[in-house]
Amino acid sequence: MKKGKYRDELIRSVLGATSTSPLGIRLARVCVEANLPAAYVAQVFGVSRMALHLWFRGGNIRPAKVDKISVFTQLIQEDLRNGRLPVSTLEAARAYLQEMTDAPIKQVSQKKAD
């Protein structure tokens, strides 16, 4: 049941996420569905993978990040609906996020992508 590099536990916990779920859990769901690695998504928000995974589990998100995460989540959902996502490789994920954010995303190895 593994989707990309996400663990089964996380996948199961976010499958039921709805529009009323905490923002971090909604973010996790779209990242899993789009196959966007945590290491790259963390770079988008300027946080560590550990911080991102805390958000994914419903942890506190600083108010300064909320709007950016909300817009990011909406854009990912739109690209999932339009068939632009999910990506199939790490390089495709990196290219997608670089294009979306107009910012460089450091390449990571397959092992560090989670």
Side-chain angles (χ1 to χ4, degrees):
M1 185 172 174
K2 217 171 202 177
K3 175 110 177 151
K5 290 291 293 172
Y6 289 103
R7 292 193 171 95
D8 288 345
E9 172 192 346
L10 177 65
I11 293 169
R12 281 192 301 273
S13 72
V14 301
L15 283 178
T18 66
S19 61
T20 59
S21 297
L23 182 58
I25 293 173
R26 294 192 316 258
L27 173 64
R29 181 177 182 137
V30 298
C31 289
V32 167
E33 290 176 352
N35 206 22
L36 297 173
Y40 290 162
V41 176
Q43 290 181 54
V44 168
F45 297 110
V47 299
S48 67
R49 286 184 318 166
M50 182 184 295
L52 187 72
H53 280 282
L54 287 173
W55 295 352
F56 281 1
R57 287 170 170 71
N60 189 45
I61 299 171
R62 291 178 187 235
K65 303 271 187 204
V66 170
D67 287 342
K68 186 174 182 179
I69 294 168
S70 183
V71 168
F72 179 87
T73 301
Q74 291 170 8
L75 292 172
I76 298 297
Q77 289 171 330
E78 184 177 313
D79 283 345
L80 282 163
R81 280 191 301 275
N82 293 334
R84 187 164 183 217
L85 292 171
V87 295
S88 57
T89 66
L90 279 176
E91 188 52 41
R94 184 171 166 253
Y96 173 83
L97 290 170
Q98 284 183 150
E99 180 184 327
M100 173 194 254
T101 63
D102 199 28
I105 302 292
K106 292 181 189 174
Q107 189 170 4
V108 298
S109 68
Q110 183 72 31
K111 187 174 184 177
K112 293 184 179 182
D114 183 29

